[in-house]
Amino acid sequence: MEDLPARPRLRSLHRASALFIGLFVLLHMANHLAGLSGQETHIAFTAEARQLYRQPFVEVALVCLILWQVGSGLTMLVRGWARRTGTVAWLQAASGGYLAFFLVKPYRGRHRRTHSLWSRH
């Protein structure tokens, strides 16, 4: 089998990680929507969902996928800068850049709060 060039492979892996992250987002949104059916339903759904997504392996995998998504997305954003043409391509690039910022920001804030001298008092 012929080896794929790096760029299509990067794009394929980026899409695959987006699929897994998207599945988590769907579960997360379903958890919120379960609250519309009442408090008991929401609590029951949350308890079941947490058995899956609070597993250490799942948490680590999700964080790694998010970091990969951000890194691969920013790589494609920079590499394709000069070749990007058309409004749709620029909108996709801009939304991807914003999403990268959106995904990384919560982790930066937690890191600062956790390791701050002020948080110990």
Side-chain angles (χ1 to χ4, degrees), residues 3-13 76 79:
D3 201 292
L4 291 173
R7 288 187 181 131
R9 184 177 301 143
L10 178 66
R11 189 174 294 120
S12 295
L13 292 172
M76 289 188 298
R79 283 184 180 172

Side-chain angles (χ1 to χ4, degrees), residues 3-26:
D3 201 292
L4 291 173
R7 288 187 181 131
R9 184 177 301 143
L10 178 66
R11 189 174 294 120
S12 295
L13 292 172
H14 184 78
R15 287 179 181 162
S17 69
L19 175 68
F20 288 108
I21 293 169
L23 291 173
F24 172 78
V25 169
L26 285 175

Side-chain angles (χ1 to χ4, degrees), residues 12-67:
S12 295
L13 292 172
H14 184 78
R15 287 179 181 162
S17 69
L19 175 68
F20 288 108
I21 293 169
L23 291 173
F24 172 78
V25 169
L26 285 175
L27 178 64
H28 184 78
M29 294 306 296
N31 186 29
H32 288 289
L33 291 173
L36 296 175
S37 297
Q39 185 176 7
E40 296 81 23
T41 304
H42 183 253
I43 290 170
F45 188 95
T46 300
E48 291 297 319
R50 282 183 179 167
Q51 289 181 14
L52 173 66
Y53 70 77
R54 288 252 174 120
Q55 296 295 319
F57 171 77
V58 174
E59 290 177 339
V60 169
L62 185 61
V63 170
C64 289
L65 286 171
I66 289 171
L67 292 174

